[in-house]
Amino acid sequence: MEITGSIQNVRETVKKWRQQGLSVGFVPTMGYLHEGHKSLIVKAVSDNDKVVVSDFVNPIQFGANEDLSTYPRDIELDKKLCEAAGADLIFHPQPDEMYASDFSTYVEAQNVSRELCGRTRPTHFRGVCTVVCKLFHIVMPDRAYFGQKDAQQLAVIRRMVRDLNMDIEIVGCPIVREADGLAKSSRNTYLNEEERKAALALSKAIFYGEEMIRNGERKAKVVLAAMRSIIEEEPLAKIDYVEMTDADSIEPIETAQGRTLTAIAVYIGKTRLIDNFIVDLREVDQS
């Protein structure tokens, strides 16, 4: 496995692979990799001849008062995980490799970015779309892999790829959880012991809400109220949002139908965590 911080080196390596007729998978990450990231890499390795992993904390997707400076980083840990998962190349650039000092061109998927995290992080998805678009142009993969834990991000990327006619298959992969149910996240490392226990309010609410829908409840206000009550029982939890939307458009819905996304964002202490579930009612109603 190789590691490089050079855009030119990535392009030259991928060009050689292409000349050999090899397919290329891509897993974009912000580093500090965990089992969730590993599952994406393993899936990419199973689907493609070669796999590139980007390891880059993207500054333009962080707001003014967010955790850019403290976001966890450990490239040595990341290298070990990538190698164990079977990746072929890590792209680990510095910010000045990705962004010129007078950088001023951005990509934005407007409507799908408006709700959920977009309400409190208004520039976040513009930063996500811009960096992922740049990475797609650098790596030129056949397929790119994203986790469902960031369900809105996945919907945003799919919309960008569709709208801009990018010849890339976007593969969504299931949420990976800790043994006690908490969704794996690099930000879990911010939690102290008491906060880590309190964070289980998120997965409890998620599991309960999904069970309600699968058992026949379709009214969003009923499901969301039940989920809110579970979270509000935890003194350390402060709700950012508990919402139900169409899974593809991220438009709010009053009744669960089609592919339904139910998503939450909750502060545990100072740490903002997200979780969600998607139920395809077309499949549920046929079973």
Side-chain angles (χ1 to χ4, degrees):
M1 188 187 69
E2 300 179 45
I3 181 168
T4 181
S6 164
I7 291 172
Q8 182 178 348
N9 287 353
V10 173
R11 285 178 165 158
E12 289 175 353
T13 299
V14 173
K15 184 177 180 180
K16 291 177 183 176
W17 293 342
R18 293 293 187 195
Q19 289 171 344
Q20 298 171 42
L22 303 176
S23 61
V24 179
F26 176 48
V27 182
T29 82
M30 291 212 302
Y32 211 74
L33 306 183
H34 51 65
E35 289 299 313
H37 297 107
K38 186 175 182 180
S39 71
L40 303 181
I41 301 168
V42 168
K43 174 63 173 168
V45 168
S46 71
D47 291 348
N48 303 276
D49 299 312
K50 296 290 184 179
V51 171
V52 179
V53 178
S54 64
D55 190 312
F56 176 60
V57 180
N58 175 37
I60 68 169
Q61 70 187 66
F62 288 79
N65 299 311
E66 294 181 347
D67 56 342
L68 173 61
S69 63
T70 59
Y71 193 85
R73 297 162 171 87
D74 189 337
I75 188 60
E76 294 304 317
L77 176 76
D78 295 346
K79 284 163 62 176
K80 291 177 182 178
L81 185 145
C82 287
E83 192 160 25
D88 299 281
L89 176 65
I90 298 176
F91 178 42
H92 181 53
Q94 295 302 308
D96 60 2
E97 178 74 1
M98 292 294 289
Y99 300 109
S101 60
D102 59 349
F103 182 86
S104 60
T105 304
Y106 296 88
V107 180
E108 187 171 13
Q110 292 184 334
N111 291 344
V112 75
S113 300
R114 184 176 55 213
E115 300 292 338
L116 303 181
C117 291
R119 288 203 298 267
T120 54
R121 307 183 72 191
T123 63
H124 172 70
F125 288 114
R126 185 181 77 163
V128 170
C129 279
T130 301
V131 76
V132 171
C133 184
K134 286 169 66 67
L135 289 167
F136 284 174
H137 283 298
I138 293 165
V139 178
M140 299 295 287
D142 297 287
R143 302 173 188 88
Y145 297 78
F146 295 83
Q148 187 194 299
K149 186 179 78 68
D150 297 295
Q152 186 175 16
Q153 173 178 273
L154 178 55
V156 166
I157 296 302
R158 282 180 167 148
R159 183 63 60 88
M160 178 185 75
V161 166
R162 186 202 73 178
D163 288 356
L164 299 184
N165 304 107
M166 297 180 178
D167 189 19
I168 300 170
E169 179 185 352
I170 303 301
V171 182
C173 299
I175 296 172
V176 176
R177 298 184 179 277
E178 303 283 358
D180 59 7
L182 183 67
K184 286 184 178 287
S185 169
S186 300
R187 288 188 169 94
N188 290 349
T189 58
Y190 296 160
L191 304 172
N192 62 33
E193 186 176 352
E194 183 183 12
E195 291 168 340
R196 175 62 181 76
K197 292 178 182 177
L200 292 178
L202 279 80
S203 54
K204 288 177 183 176
I206 287 293
F207 297 154
Y208 191 78
E210 182 170 5
E211 183 180 13
M212 289 181 71
I213 292 179
R214 291 192 180 279
N215 287 338
E217 182 57 64
R218 296 291 181 265
K219 292 181 180 178
K221 65 180 181 180
V222 175
V223 175
L224 300 179
M227 294 174 64
R228 278 182 167 273
S229 68
I230 291 172
I231 299 167
E232 288 168 350
E233 288 176 0
E234 173 49 61
L236 295 182
K238 178 184 176 184
I239 293 173
D240 182 353
Y241 64 76
V242 179
E243 300 285 350
M244 186 181 292
T245 74
D246 178 271
D248 300 309
S249 69
I250 315 297
E251 290 292 333
I253 55 177
E254 295 182 359
T255 304
Q257 56 190 320
R259 290 187 71 244
T260 294
L261 166 67
T262 305
I264 63 178
V266 179
Y267 285 93
I268 301 295
K270 295 182 178 179
T271 303
R272 184 177 183 275
L273 301 176
I274 60 174
D275 204 344
N276 70 82
F277 65 90
I278 294 176
V279 177
D280 192 334
L281 273 302
R282 296 166 300 187
E283 297 176 357
V284 172
D285 293 340
Q286 288 176 0
S287 62

